[in-house]
Amino acid sequence: MAEGQGRSSNQGVKLLYIRDYLHKYTNKEHPKSAKEICEYLASKGIKADRKTIYNDILRLQMDFQEPIEYNQKKWGYYITQPQFETKDLRMLIDCVQLSPLITEQENRTLSQKILELGTVYSKELLEKHVNKRIDLNRPEDSIFQKMEILRQAIASNKKIRCRIASPTLNRGMQGNQTANEDDYYIVSPKEIRIRNGLYYLVAFPDDRFEHAYGIFLNRMSDIKILS
């Protein structure tokens, strides 16, 4: 290791910790003092004193353009322009919770991840918003997991085997062709599109590509890529 390399690396880690701490735990009403920042760094195994914290803050402001200001009345530093305001997070949560395309488990998981994008204070404000009950007819299985499998098949130019519930194959999105519910279909997937808020797969039934079919993803199950 070159002389000074370890010190430079530790300094970079310390700056990251300070930056993340300020983004997570501060706003104008809740600034953090140099002493509190030192205590946080100590909990992470990093030694620091108030004098070096002043220099670290200055470097974050000057070299990394971090929007940090000092609240003289409360003797602490805070982030003036957070990456996500509380209203931004509320909008994202609403988009997730009102989407009929995701499962209830995906709704809970995504909503919790969105909460983590803000400060601890925005999280407190929005937790009740996340936990409110919204009655929607959500799918039992994940549309987006199906999309990932289908995209893999399309990218590798491979056929898939699947079941189709209800079941209907919409030829050219017009008319329909019925089949036994227990039947498997083998098709060549070509493109995923959206219509009336629902995703569907454009696929061909054989290598001759004589007719394209649109199959709604919410009707597909047991999708397997064929070798």
Side-chain angles (χ1 to χ4, degrees):
M1 180 182 295
E3 184 178 355
Q5 184 175 340
R7 181 181 299 177
S8 175
S9 176
N10 289 336
Q11 176 66 11
V13 170
K14 184 170 74 165
L15 289 175
L16 286 174
Y17 272 123
I18 295 172
R19 176 194 177 279
D20 291 346
Y21 177 68
L22 293 177
H23 274 278
K24 191 70 177 178
Y25 293 97
T26 72
N27 56 28
K28 189 173 183 179
E29 292 74 31
H30 301 88
K32 295 296 181 181
S33 66
K35 179 183 178 181
E36 288 173 306
I37 296 173
C38 287
E39 291 172 351
Y40 173 75
L41 291 174
S43 72
K44 301 297 181 181
I46 300 175
K47 293 183 179 180
D49 55 46
R50 279 183 280 188
K51 183 178 179 180
T52 60
I53 292 300
Y54 302 143
N55 292 330
D56 292 331
I57 294 293
L58 182 61
R59 186 176 177 191
L60 284 170
Q61 291 171 320
M62 302 299 293
D63 294 349
F64 298 96
Q65 304 301 308
E66 286 294 335
I68 303 171
E69 286 191 9
Y70 185 74
N71 187 326
Q72 294 183 349
K73 293 183 178 179
K74 297 188 176 183
W75 297 353
Y77 296 96
Y78 67 98
I79 297 294
T80 62
Q81 298 174 17
Q83 292 177 318
F84 294 95
E85 300 281 357
T86 301
K87 62 179 178 61
D88 301 328
L89 298 174
R90 184 177 285 110
M91 285 190 290
L92 289 173
I93 291 169
D94 282 344
C95 288
V96 168
Q97 292 193 328
L98 296 174
S99 172
L101 298 175
I102 65 174
T103 65
E104 186 58 40
Q105 180 59 48
E106 287 173 330
N107 167 42
R108 290 195 295 268
T109 300
L110 287 172
S111 294
Q112 287 298 323
K113 287 182 177 180
I114 291 171
L115 282 181
E116 297 301 324
L117 295 175
T119 66
V120 293
Y121 312 108
S122 63
K123 184 176 182 178
E124 290 176 0
L125 291 172
L126 293 173
E127 277 182 334
K128 290 184 179 179
H129 190 67
V130 165
N131 294 325
K132 69 182 179 183
R133 180 176 177 81
I134 297 178
D135 293 324
L136 280 179
N137 293 323
R138 298 189 183 278
E140 294 183 1
D141 51 359
S142 174
I143 295 291
F144 296 96
Q145 287 182 4
K146 295 176 185 178
M147 289 174 65
E148 287 305 308
I149 297 173
L150 293 172
R151 287 191 173 116
Q152 290 178 28
I154 292 170
S156 58
N157 197 30
K158 292 183 177 179
K159 294 182 179 182
I160 62 164
R161 187 186 72 175
C162 67
R163 281 195 172 102
I164 302 175
S166 292
T168 315
L169 280 178
N170 295 330
R171 179 173 174 179
M173 303 308 293
Q174 295 180 355
N176 61 71
Q177 174 181 325
T178 60
N180 189 318
E181 185 172 356
D182 293 328
D183 285 348
Y184 276 103
Y185 290 86
I186 296 178
V187 297
S188 299
K190 292 302 169 185
E191 186 180 1
I192 296 174
R193 298 178 182 175
I194 189 167
R195 182 183 185 189
N196 297 329
L198 294 175
Y199 288 100
Y200 68 93
L201 173 70
V202 176
F204 293 95
D206 53 45
D207 291 331
R208 292 174 295 172
F209 298 166
E210 291 184 354
H211 303 292
Y213 289 85
I215 311 170
F216 285 105
L217 267 61
N218 60 350
R219 295 179 177 177
M220 300 177 69
S221 62
D222 295 336
I223 304 171
K224 181 180 179 181
I225 300 175
L226 301 180
S227 58

